[in-house]
Amino acid sequence: SKQRSPITKLWTYRYRPVLTNNGGPIRGAMAVINKAPGFTVLLGVTTFGAIGENESVVSSSEILLVSKTDIGSEQPTIYWILRALR
């Protein structure tokens, strides 16, 4: 979702990332935003529960990005560091 602050005039974007596992089953994963060009990352760490082979799972928490500009219906480009928990 997105929201514009009338005070700061900044756009806040909230997302619940989805992780798809194309490998063998894992007990979970941790994801950290490495960079998100054009955004300030306010909350950039999330975790995922167990994921089977060729399955997807929604993150346990939201990420929070802030920008001076409205990106409309576009999705931000986010570069992640992922760590599987085996």
Coordinates of all heavy atoms in Angstrom, one line a residue:
S1 N 0.8 -1.2 0.0 CA 0.0 0.0 0.0 C 0.9 1.2 0.0 O 2.1 1.2 0.3 CB -0.9 0.0 1.2 OG -0.2 0.2 2.4
K2 N 0.3 2.4 -0.3 CA 1.1 3.6 -0.3 C 0.2 4.7 0.3 O -1.0 4.7 0.3 CB 1.5 4.0 -1.7 CG 0.4 4.5 -2.6 CD 1.0 4.9 -4.0 CE -0.1 5.3 -4.9 NZ 0.4 5.8 -6.2
Q3 N 0.9 5.7 0.9 CA 0.2 6.8 1.6 C 1.2 8.0 1.5 O 2.4 7.9 1.7 CB -0.1 6.4 3.0 CG -0.9 7.4 3.7 CD -1.3 6.9 5.1 OE1 -0.7 5.9 5.6 NE2 -2.2 7.6 5.7
R4 N 0.6 9.2 1.3 CA 1.4 10.4 1.3 C 1.1 11.2 2.6 O -0.1 11.4 2.9 CB 1.0 11.3 0.1 CG 1.9 12.5 -0.1 CD 1.6 13.2 -1.4 NE 2.6 14.2 -1.6 CZ 2.3 15.5 -1.6 NH1 1.1 15.9 -1.3 NH2 3.2 16.4 -1.8
S5 N 2.2 11.6 3.2 CA 2.0 12.4 4.4 C 1.8 13.8 4.1 O 2.5 14.4 3.3 CB 3.3 12.3 5.3 OG 3.3 13.3 6.3
P6 N 0.7 14.4 4.6 CA 0.4 15.8 4.3 C 1.5 16.8 5.0 O 1.6 17.9 4.5 CB -1.0 16.1 4.9 CG -1.2 15.0 5.9 CD -0.3 13.8 5.4
I7 N 2.1 16.3 6.0 CA 3.1 17.1 6.7 C 4.5 17.1 6.0 O 5.0 18.1 5.7 CB 3.3 16.6 8.2 CG1 1.9 16.8 8.9 CG2 4.4 17.4 8.9 CD1 1.8 16.2 10.2
T8 N 5.0 15.8 5.7 CA 6.4 15.7 5.1 C 6.3 15.7 3.6 O 7.3 15.9 3.0 CB 7.0 14.4 5.6 OG1 6.3 13.3 5.1 CG2 7.1 14.3 7.1
K9 N 5.1 15.5 3.1 CA 4.9 15.4 1.6 C 5.7 14.1 1.0 O 5.9 14.1 -0.2 CB 5.4 16.6 0.9 CG 4.9 17.9 1.4 CD 3.4 18.1 1.1 CE 2.9 19.5 1.4 NZ 1.8 19.6 2.3
L10 N 6.1 13.2 1.9 CA 6.7 12.0 1.4 C 5.7 10.9 1.2 O 4.7 10.8 1.9 CB 7.8 11.6 2.4 CG 9.0 12.5 2.6 CD1 9.9 12.0 3.8 CD2 9.8 12.7 1.4
W11 N 6.1 10.0 0.3 CA 5.2 8.8 0.0 C 5.8 7.6 0.8 O 7.0 7.4 0.7 CB 5.2 8.5 -1.5 CG 4.5 9.5 -2.3 CD1 4.9 10.6 -2.9 CD2 3.1 9.4 -2.6 NE1 3.9 11.3 -3.5 CE2 2.8 10.6 -3.3 CE3 2.1 8.5 -2.2 CZ2 1.5 10.8 -3.8 CZ3 0.8 8.8 -2.7 CH2 0.5 9.9 -3.5
T12 N 5.0 6.9 1.5 CA 5.4 5.8 2.3 C 4.7 4.5 1.6 O 3.5 4.5 1.3 CB 4.9 5.8 3.7 OG1 5.4 7.0 4.3 CG2 5.3 4.6 4.5
Y13 N 5.6 3.5 1.3 CA 5.1 2.3 0.7 C 5.3 1.1 1.6 O 6.4 1.0 2.2 CB 6.0 2.1 -0.6 CG 5.7 3.1 -1.6 CD1 6.4 4.3 -1.6 CD2 4.7 2.9 -2.6 CE1 6.2 5.3 -2.6 CE2 4.5 3.9 -3.5 CZ 5.2 5.1 -3.5 OH 5.0 6.1 -4.5
R14 N 4.3 0.3 1.8 CA 4.4 -0.9 2.7 C 4.1 -2.1 1.8 O 3.2 -2.1 1.1 CB 3.3 -0.8 3.8 CG 3.4 0.3 4.7 CD 2.2 0.4 5.7 NE 2.4 1.4 6.7 CZ 3.0 1.3 7.8 NH1 3.6 0.2 8.1 NH2 3.2 2.4 8.6
Y15 N 5.0 -3.1 2.0 CA 4.9 -4.3 1.2 C 5.1 -5.5 2.1 O 5.8 -5.5 3.1 CB 5.9 -4.4 0.1 CG 5.8 -3.3 -0.9 CD1 6.6 -2.2 -0.9 CD2 4.9 -3.5 -2.0 CE1 6.5 -1.2 -1.8 CE2 4.8 -2.5 -2.9 CZ 5.6 -1.3 -2.9 OH 5.4 -0.4 -3.8
R16 N 4.4 -6.6 1.8 CA 4.7 -7.9 2.4 C 5.3 -8.8 1.3 O 4.6 -9.3 0.4 CB 3.4 -8.6 2.9 CG 2.6 -7.9 4.0 CD 3.2 -8.1 5.4 NE 3.4 -9.5 5.8 CZ 2.5 -10.1 6.6 NH1 1.5 -9.5 7.1 NH2 2.7 -11.3 7.0
P17 N 6.6 -8.9 1.3 CA 7.3 -9.6 0.2 C 6.9 -11.1 0.1 O 6.5 -11.7 1.2 CB 8.8 -9.5 0.5 CG 8.9 -8.3 1.4 CD 7.6 -8.3 2.2
V18 N 6.9 -11.7 -1.1 CA 6.7 -13.1 -1.3 C 8.0 -13.7 -1.8 O 8.6 -13.2 -2.7 CB 5.5 -13.3 -2.3 CG1 5.4 -14.8 -2.6 CG2 4.3 -12.7 -1.8
L19 N 8.4 -14.8 -1.2 CA 9.6 -15.5 -1.6 C 9.2 -16.9 -2.2 O 8.4 -17.6 -1.7 CB 10.5 -15.8 -0.4 CG 11.8 -16.5 -0.6 CD1 12.7 -15.7 -1.5 CD2 12.5 -16.8 0.7
T20 N 9.7 -17.1 -3.4 CA 9.5 -18.4 -4.1 C 10.8 -19.2 -4.0 O 11.9 -18.7 -4.3 CB 9.1 -18.1 -5.6 OG1 7.9 -17.4 -5.6 CG2 8.9 -19.4 -6.3
N21 N 10.6 -20.5 -3.6 CA 11.8 -21.4 -3.4 C 11.8 -22.3 -4.6 O 10.9 -23.2 -4.8 CB 11.6 -22.2 -2.1 CG 12.7 -23.1 -1.9 OD1 13.7 -23.1 -2.6 ND2 12.5 -24.0 -1.0
N22 N 12.8 -22.2 -5.4 CA 13.0 -23.1 -6.6 C 13.9 -24.2 -6.3 O 14.3 -25.0 -7.2 CB 13.5 -22.3 -7.8 CG 12.5 -21.2 -8.3 OD1 11.3 -21.5 -8.3 ND2 13.0 -20.1 -8.6
G23 N 14.4 -24.3 -5.1 CA 15.3 -25.4 -4.7 C 14.6 -26.4 -3.7 O 13.4 -26.4 -3.7
G24 N 15.4 -27.1 -2.9 CA 14.9 -28.0 -2.0 C 14.2 -27.3 -0.8 O 14.4 -26.1 -0.6
P25 N 13.5 -28.0 0.0 CA 12.8 -27.5 1.2 C 13.8 -26.8 2.1 O 14.9 -27.3 2.3 CB 12.1 -28.6 1.8 CG 12.1 -29.8 0.8 CD 13.3 -29.5 -0.1
I26 N 13.3 -25.7 2.8 CA 14.1 -25.0 3.8 C 13.2 -24.7 5.0 O 12.0 -24.7 4.9 CB 14.7 -23.7 3.3 CG1 13.7 -22.7 2.7 CG2 15.8 -24.0 2.2 CD1 14.3 -21.4 2.4
R27 N 13.8 -24.6 6.2 CA 13.0 -24.3 7.4 C 12.5 -22.9 7.4 O 11.6 -22.5 8.2 CB 13.9 -24.5 8.6 CG 14.2 -26.0 8.9 CD 14.9 -26.3 10.2 NE 16.2 -25.5 10.3 CZ 16.5 -24.7 11.2 NH1 15.7 -24.4 12.2 NH2 17.7 -24.1 11.2
G28 N 13.2 -22.0 6.7 CA 12.8 -20.6 6.6 C 13.9 -19.8 5.9 O 14.8 -20.3 5.4
A29 N 13.7 -18.5 5.9 CA 14.7 -17.6 5.3 C 14.6 -16.2 5.9 O 13.6 -15.8 6.5 CB 14.4 -17.5 3.8
M30 N 15.7 -15.5 5.8 CA 15.8 -14.1 6.3 C 16.1 -13.3 5.0 O 17.0 -13.7 4.2 CB 16.8 -13.9 7.3 CG 16.9 -12.5 7.9 SD 18.1 -12.3 9.2 CE 19.6 -12.2 8.3
A31 N 15.5 -12.1 4.9 CA 15.8 -11.2 3.8 C 16.1 -9.8 4.3 O 15.4 -9.3 5.2 CB 14.6 -11.2 2.8
V32 N 17.1 -9.2 3.8 CA 17.5 -7.9 4.1 C 17.6 -7.1 2.8 O 18.3 -7.5 1.9 CB 18.9 -7.9 4.8 CG1 19.3 -6.4 5.2 CG2 18.9 -8.7 6.1
I33 N 17.0 -5.9 2.8 CA 17.2 -5.0 1.6 C 18.6 -4.5 1.6 O 19.0 -3.8 2.5 CB 16.1 -3.9 1.7 CG1 14.7 -4.4 1.6 CG2 16.4 -2.9 0.5 CD1 13.6 -3.4 1.7
N34 N 19.3 -4.8 0.5 CA 20.6 -4.3 0.2 C 20.5 -2.8 -0.3 O 21.3 -2.0 0.1 CB 21.3 -5.2 -0.8 CG 22.8 -4.8 -0.9 OD1 23.4 -4.4 0.0 ND2 23.3 -5.0 -2.1
K35 N 19.6 -2.6 -1.3 CA 19.4 -1.3 -1.7 C 18.0 -1.2 -2.5 O 17.6 -2.2 -3.0 CB 20.5 -0.7 -2.6 CG 20.7 -1.5 -3.9 CD 21.9 -1.0 -4.7 CE 22.2 -1.8 -5.9 NZ 23.3 -1.3 -6.7
A36 N 17.5 0.0 -2.5 CA 16.2 0.2 -3.2 C 16.3 1.6 -3.8 O 16.0 2.6 -3.2 CB 15.0 0.1 -2.2
P37 N 16.9 1.7 -5.1 CA 17.2 3.0 -5.7 C 15.9 3.9 -5.7 O 14.8 3.5 -6.0 CB 17.6 2.6 -7.1 CG 18.1 1.2 -7.0 CD 17.2 0.6 -5.9
G38 N 16.1 5.1 -5.2 CA 15.1 6.1 -5.2 C 14.3 6.1 -3.9 O 13.3 6.9 -3.8
F39 N 14.6 5.2 -3.0 CA 13.9 5.1 -1.7 C 14.8 5.1 -0.5 O 16.0 4.7 -0.6 CB 13.1 3.8 -1.7 CG 12.0 3.6 -2.7 CD1 12.3 3.1 -4.0 CD2 10.7 4.0 -2.4 CE1 11.3 3.0 -4.9 CE2 9.7 3.9 -3.3 CZ 10.0 3.4 -4.6
T40 N 14.2 5.6 0.6 CA 14.9 5.4 1.9 C 14.2 4.2 2.5 O 13.0 4.1 2.5 CB 14.7 6.7 2.7 OG1 15.3 7.8 2.1 CG2 15.3 6.5 4.1
V41 N 15.0 3.3 3.0 CA 14.5 2.1 3.6 C 14.4 2.3 5.1 O 15.3 2.6 5.8 CB 15.4 0.9 3.4 CG1 14.9 -0.4 4.1 CG2 15.6 0.7 1.9
L42 N 13.1 2.3 5.6 CA 12.8 2.5 7.0 C 12.8 1.1 7.8 O 13.3 1.0 8.9 CB 11.5 3.2 7.3 CG 11.5 4.7 6.7 CD1 10.2 5.3 7.1 CD2 12.7 5.5 7.3
L43 N 12.2 0.1 7.2 CA 12.1 -1.2 7.7 C 12.5 -2.1 6.5 O 11.8 -2.3 5.6 CB 10.8 -1.6 8.2 CG 10.2 -0.8 9.4 CD1 8.8 -1.2 9.7 CD2 11.1 -1.1 10.6
G44 N 13.7 -2.8 6.6 CA 14.2 -3.5 5.5 C 14.6 -4.9 5.8 O 15.4 -5.5 5.0
V45 N 14.1 -5.5 6.9 CA 14.5 -6.9 7.3 C 13.2 -7.6 7.5 O 12.3 -7.1 8.2 CB 15.3 -6.9 8.6 CG1 15.6 -8.3 9.0 CG2 16.6 -6.1 8.4
T46 N 13.1 -8.8 7.0 CA 11.9 -9.6 7.2 C 12.3 -11.1 7.2 O 13.4 -11.4 6.8 CB 10.8 -9.4 6.1 OG1 9.6 -10.0 6.6 CG2 11.2 -9.8 4.8
T47 N 11.4 -12.0 7.6 CA 11.7 -13.4 7.7 C 10.5 -14.1 7.0 O 9.4 -13.6 6.8 CB 11.9 -13.9 9.1 OG1 10.7 -13.6 9.9 CG2 13.1 -13.3 9.8
F48 N 10.8 -15.4 6.6 CA 9.8 -16.2 6.0 C 9.9 -17.6 6.7 O 10.9 -18.0 7.2 CB 10.2 -16.5 4.5 CG 10.2 -15.2 3.7 CD1 11.4 -14.5 3.6 CD2 9.1 -14.8 3.0 CE1 11.4 -13.3 2.9 CE2 9.1 -13.7 2.3 CZ 10.3 -12.9 2.2
G49 N 8.7 -18.2 6.9 CA 8.6 -19.5 7.5 C 9.1 -20.6 6.5 O 9.6 -20.3 5.5
A50 N 8.8 -21.8 6.9 CA 9.2 -23.0 6.1 C 8.6 -22.9 4.7 O 7.5 -22.5 4.5 CB 8.7 -24.3 6.8
I51 N 9.5 -23.3 3.7 CA 9.1 -23.2 2.3 C 9.5 -24.5 1.6 O 10.7 -24.9 1.6 CB 9.8 -22.1 1.6 CG1 9.7 -20.7 2.3 CG2 9.2 -21.9 0.2 CD1 10.6 -19.7 1.8
G52 N 8.5 -25.2 1.1 CA 8.8 -26.5 0.4 C 9.3 -26.2 -1.0 O 9.4 -25.0 -1.5
E53 N 9.8 -27.2 -1.7 CA 10.3 -27.1 -3.0 C 9.2 -26.6 -4.0 O 8.1 -27.0 -3.9 CB 10.8 -28.5 -3.5 CG 11.4 -28.5 -4.8 CD 12.0 -29.9 -5.2 OE1 12.0 -30.8 -4.3 OE2 12.4 -30.1 -6.4
N54 N 9.6 -25.6 -4.8 CA 8.7 -25.0 -5.7 C 7.4 -24.4 -5.1 O 6.4 -24.3 -5.7 CB 8.3 -25.9 -6.8 CG 9.5 -26.4 -7.6 OD1 10.3 -25.6 -8.0 ND2 9.6 -27.7 -7.9
E55 N 7.6 -23.9 -3.9 CA 6.5 -23.2 -3.2 C 6.8 -21.7 -2.9 O 8.0 -21.3 -3.0 CB 6.2 -23.9 -1.8 CG 5.6 -25.2 -2.0 CD 5.2 -25.9 -0.6 OE1 5.6 -25.3 0.4 OE2 4.6 -26.9 -0.6
S56 N 5.8 -20.9 -2.6 CA 6.0 -19.5 -2.2 C 5.4 -19.3 -0.9 O 4.4 -20.0 -0.5 CB 5.3 -18.6 -3.3 OG 5.9 -18.8 -4.5
V57 N 5.9 -18.3 -0.2 CA 5.4 -17.9 1.1 C 5.5 -16.4 1.3 O 6.4 -15.8 0.8 CB 6.2 -18.7 2.3 CG1 7.6 -18.2 2.4 CG2 5.5 -18.5 3.6
V58 N 4.5 -15.9 2.0 CA 4.5 -14.4 2.3 C 5.3 -14.2 3.6 O 5.3 -15.0 4.5 CB 3.0 -13.9 2.5 CG1 3.0 -12.5 2.9 CG2 2.2 -14.2 1.3
S59 N 6.0 -13.0 3.6 CA 6.9 -12.7 4.7 C 6.1 -12.5 6.0 O 4.9 -12.3 6.0 CB 7.7 -11.4 4.4 OG 6.8 -10.3 4.4
S60 N 6.8 -12.7 7.1 CA 6.2 -12.5 8.4 C 5.9 -11.1 8.8 O 5.1 -10.8 9.7 CB 7.0 -13.2 9.5 OG 8.3 -12.5 9.5
S61 N 6.6 -10.1 8.1 CA 6.4 -8.7 8.5 C 6.5 -7.9 7.2 O 6.9 -8.3 6.2 CB 7.4 -8.3 9.5 OG 8.7 -8.5 9.0
E62 N 6.1 -6.6 7.3 CA 6.2 -5.7 6.2 C 7.6 -5.1 6.1 O 8.3 -5.0 7.1 CB 5.2 -4.5 6.4 CG 3.7 -4.9 6.4 CD 2.9 -3.7 6.6 OE1 3.2 -2.8 7.3 OE2 1.8 -3.7 5.9
I63 N 7.8 -4.6 4.9 CA 9.0 -3.7 4.7 C 8.4 -2.3 4.5 O 7.2 -2.2 4.1 CB 9.9 -4.1 3.5 CG1 9.1 -4.1 2.2 CG2 10.5 -5.5 3.7 CD1 9.9 -4.2 0.9
L64 N 9.1 -1.3 4.7 CA 8.7 0.1 4.7 C 9.7 0.9 3.9 O 10.8 1.0 4.3 CB 8.4 0.6 6.1 CG 7.8 1.9 6.3 CD1 6.4 1.9 5.7 CD2 7.7 2.2 7.8
L65 N 9.2 1.5 2.8 CA 10.1 2.4 2.0 C 9.4 3.8 1.9 O 8.2 3.9 2.0 CB 10.2 1.8 0.6 CG 10.6 0.4 0.4 CD1 10.5 0.0 -1.1 CD2 12.0 0.2 0.9
V66 N 10.3 4.8 1.8 CA 9.8 6.2 1.7 C 10.5 6.8 0.5 O 11.7 6.6 0.2 CB 10.2 7.0 3.0 CG1 9.8 8.4 2.8 CG2 9.5 6.4 4.2
S67 N 9.7 7.7 -0.2 CA 10.2 8.3 -1.4 C 9.6 9.7 -1.5 O 8.4 9.9 -1.1 CB 9.8 7.5 -2.7 OG 10.3 8.2 -3.8
K68 N 10.3 10.6 -2.2 CA 9.8 12.0 -2.4 C 8.8 11.9 -3.6 O 8.0 12.8 -3.7 CB 10.9 12.9 -2.8 CG 11.8 13.2 -1.7 CD 12.9 14.1 -2.1 CE 13.9 14.4 -1.0 NZ 15.0 15.2 -1.4
T69 N 8.8 10.9 -4.4 CA 8.0 10.8 -5.6 C 7.0 9.7 -5.5 O 7.3 8.6 -4.9 CB 8.8 10.7 -6.9 OG1 9.6 9.5 -6.8 CG2 9.7 11.9 -7.1
D70 N 5.9 9.8 -6.2 CA 4.9 8.8 -6.3 C 5.2 7.9 -7.5 O 5.4 8.4 -8.6 CB 3.5 9.4 -6.5 CG 2.4 8.4 -6.7 OD1 2.6 7.2 -6.5 OD2 1.2 8.9 -7.0
I71 N 5.3 6.6 -7.3 CA 5.7 5.7 -8.4 C 4.5 5.1 -9.1 O 4.6 4.3 -9.9 CB 6.6 4.6 -7.9 CG1 6.0 3.7 -6.9 CG2 8.0 5.2 -7.5 CD1 6.8 2.5 -6.5
G72 N 3.3 5.7 -8.7 CA 2.0 5.2 -9.3 C 1.8 3.7 -9.0 O 2.0 3.3 -7.9
S73 N 1.5 2.9 -10.0 CA 1.2 1.5 -9.8 C 2.5 0.7 -10.0 O 2.4 -0.6 -10.0 CB 0.1 1.0 -10.7 OG 0.5 1.2 -12.1
E74 N 3.6 1.3 -10.3 CA 4.8 0.6 -10.5 C 5.3 -0.1 -9.2 O 4.9 0.3 -8.1 CB 5.9 1.5 -11.0 CG 5.7 2.2 -12.4 CD 5.8 1.2 -13.5 OE1 6.7 0.3 -13.5 OE2 4.9 1.2 -14.4
Q75 N 6.1 -1.1 -9.3 CA 6.7 -1.8 -8.2 C 8.2 -1.3 -8.1 O 8.8 -1.1 -9.1 CB 6.7 -3.3 -8.3 CG 5.3 -3.9 -8.4 CD 4.6 -3.6 -7.1 OE1 5.1 -3.9 -6.0 NE2 3.3 -3.2 -7.2
P76 N 8.6 -1.0 -6.9 CA 10.0 -0.6 -6.7 C 11.0 -1.7 -7.1 O 10.7 -2.9 -6.9 CB 10.1 -0.2 -5.2 CG 9.1 -1.0 -4.6 CD 8.0 -1.1 -5.6
T77 N 12.2 -1.3 -7.5 CA 13.3 -2.3 -7.7 C 14.0 -2.4 -6.4 O 14.4 -1.4 -5.8 CB 14.2 -1.8 -8.8 OG1 13.5 -1.6 -10.0 CG2 15.4 -2.8 -9.0
I78 N 14.0 -3.6 -5.9 CA 14.6 -3.9 -4.6 C 15.7 -5.0 -4.8 O 15.4 -6.0 -5.4 CB 13.6 -4.3 -3.5 CG1 12.5 -3.2 -3.3 CG2 14.2 -4.7 -2.2 CD1 11.4 -3.6 -2.5
Y79 N 16.9 -4.7 -4.2 CA 17.9 -5.7 -4.3 C 18.1 -6.3 -2.9 O 18.2 -5.5 -1.9 CB 19.3 -5.0 -4.7 CG 19.2 -4.5 -6.1 CD1 18.8 -3.2 -6.3 CD2 19.5 -5.3 -7.2 CE1 18.7 -2.7 -7.6 CE2 19.4 -4.8 -8.5 CZ 19.0 -3.5 -8.7 OH 18.9 -3.0 -10.0
W80 N 18.0 -7.6 -2.8 CA 18.0 -8.3 -1.5 C 19.2 -9.1 -1.2 O 19.9 -9.6 -2.1 CB 16.8 -9.3 -1.5 CG 15.4 -8.7 -1.6 CD1 14.8 -8.5 -2.8 CD2 14.6 -8.3 -0.6 NE1 13.5 -8.0 -2.5 CE2 13.4 -7.8 -1.2 CE3 14.7 -8.2 0.8 CZ2 12.3 -7.3 -0.4 CZ3 13.7 -7.7 1.5 CH2 12.5 -7.3 0.9
I81 N 19.5 -9.3 0.1 CA 20.4 -10.3 0.5 C 19.6 -11.3 1.2 O 18.8 -11.0 2.2 CB 21.4 -9.7 1.5 CG1 22.3 -8.6 0.8 CG2 22.3 -10.8 2.1 CD1 23.2 -7.8 1.8
L82 N 19.6 -12.6 0.7 CA 18.8 -13.7 1.3 C 19.6 -14.7 2.0 O 20.7 -15.0 1.5 CB 18.0 -14.3 0.1 CG 16.9 -13.5 -0.6 CD1 16.4 -14.2 -1.8 CD2 15.8 -13.2 0.4
R83 N 19.1 -15.3 3.0 CA 19.8 -16.3 3.8 C 18.8 -17.4 4.1 O 17.8 -17.2 4.8 CB 20.4 -15.8 5.0 CG 21.2 -16.9 5.8 CD 21.9 -16.2 6.9 NE 22.4 -17.3 7.8 CZ 22.2 -17.3 9.1 NH1 21.6 -16.3 9.7 NH2 22.6 -18.4 9.8
A84 N 19.0 -18.6 3.5 CA 18.1 -19.7 3.8 C 18.5 -20.4 5.2 O 19.7 -20.4 5.5 CB 18.3 -20.8 2.7
L85 N 17.5 -20.8 5.9 CA 17.7 -21.5 7.2 C 17.4 -23.0 6.9 O 16.2 -23.3 6.6 CB 16.7 -20.9 8.2 CG 16.8 -19.4 8.5 CD1 15.7 -19.0 9.4 CD2 18.2 -19.1 9.0
R86 N 18.4 -23.8 6.9 CA 18.2 -25.2 6.6 C 18.1 -26.0 7.8 O 18.4 -25.8 8.9 CB 19.4 -25.7 5.8 CG 19.5 -24.8 4.5 CD 20.3 -25.6 3.4 NE 20.4 -24.8 2.3 CZ 19.5 -24.8 1.2 NH1 18.5 -25.5 1.3 NH2 19.7 -24.0 0.2

